[in-house]
Amino acid sequence: MEICKGDSIQISGPSGFDGYQWYRNGSAVSGANGQNYYAANHGEYWLQASNGEGCMANSNHINVGFKQSPIASIVANKMICSNSVPFVVYNNDGSNPNYQYNWSISGPASGTITPGGGNSANVDIPSKTPGNYQIVLEVTDGNSGKLGVSTTGV
């Protein structure tokens, strides 16, 4: 199971036992002695349940991990000559169909960015105005909502 950092997931054991103790990575989790437990840390979890006669049983082990944030890493020339406009920028991690790529530009003139499909975009500065421009890429994982951000100057 994977969760986002800061989230938790409920894991549950069977009802009808007199005692419960949750374990994480081989150690008892302090205060985790109910049928249900909210796991907020990565690791291997399992439950030990007991009845009033002293019999104990262990549950299956459940691995909880963290979802990774998408990588946003812009690849672009740092020095662009006016005869090289428009130009193309890329996200260095390739293209993932579950990701949404949001590009923006700011600088002394109103540049435009047109998504090129997947992890690339076409940048145009119509007036070819010299100066420092900042390109920002936000990559959002459509499944987890996790965000990666990269900024570069050209």
Side-chain angles (χ1 to χ4, degrees):
M1 297 181 172
E2 288 187 328
I3 60 173
C4 296
K5 286 189 178 184
D7 288 346
S8 64
I9 188 167
Q10 182 181 4
I11 48 181
S12 301
S15 61
F17 287 87
D18 296 321
Y20 297 93
Q21 178 60 59
W22 286 96
Y23 289 82
R24 177 178 166 260
N25 298 333
S27 298
V29 178
S30 178
N33 51 15
Q35 178 185 351
N36 303 311
Y37 179 70
Y38 287 89
N41 295 302
H42 67 86
E44 182 181 39
Y45 290 86
W46 69 91
L47 173 66
Q48 186 175 71
S50 61
N51 64 16
E53 298 173 11
C55 295
M56 292 187 204
N58 290 331
S59 70
N60 293 333
H61 293 219
I62 299 169
N63 287 303
V64 175
F66 292 122
K67 292 181 181 180
Q68 298 296 316
S69 295
I71 297 170
S73 176
I74 299 171
V75 177
N77 289 329
K78 300 296 180 183
M79 179 69 101
I80 305 294
C81 297
S82 63
N83 63 348
S84 299
V85 175
F87 58 95
V88 177
V89 290
Y90 299 92
N91 185 28
N92 198 31
D93 79 333
S95 181
N96 184 321
N98 294 322
Y99 291 175
Q100 289 90 44
Y101 299 88
N102 183 28
W103 298 86
S104 63
I105 186 170
S106 61
S110 59
T112 59
I113 294 188
T114 307
N119 68 327
S120 69
N122 299 305
V123 179
D124 193 7
I125 303 167
S127 63
K128 297 184 176 30
T129 303
N132 294 319
Y133 292 82
Q134 184 178 53
I135 298 174
V136 177
L137 168 62
E138 295 179 346
V139 181
T140 306
D141 184 333
N143 293 328
S144 70
K146 298 287 283 184
L147 176 70
V149 178
S150 178
T151 302
T152 192
V154 293

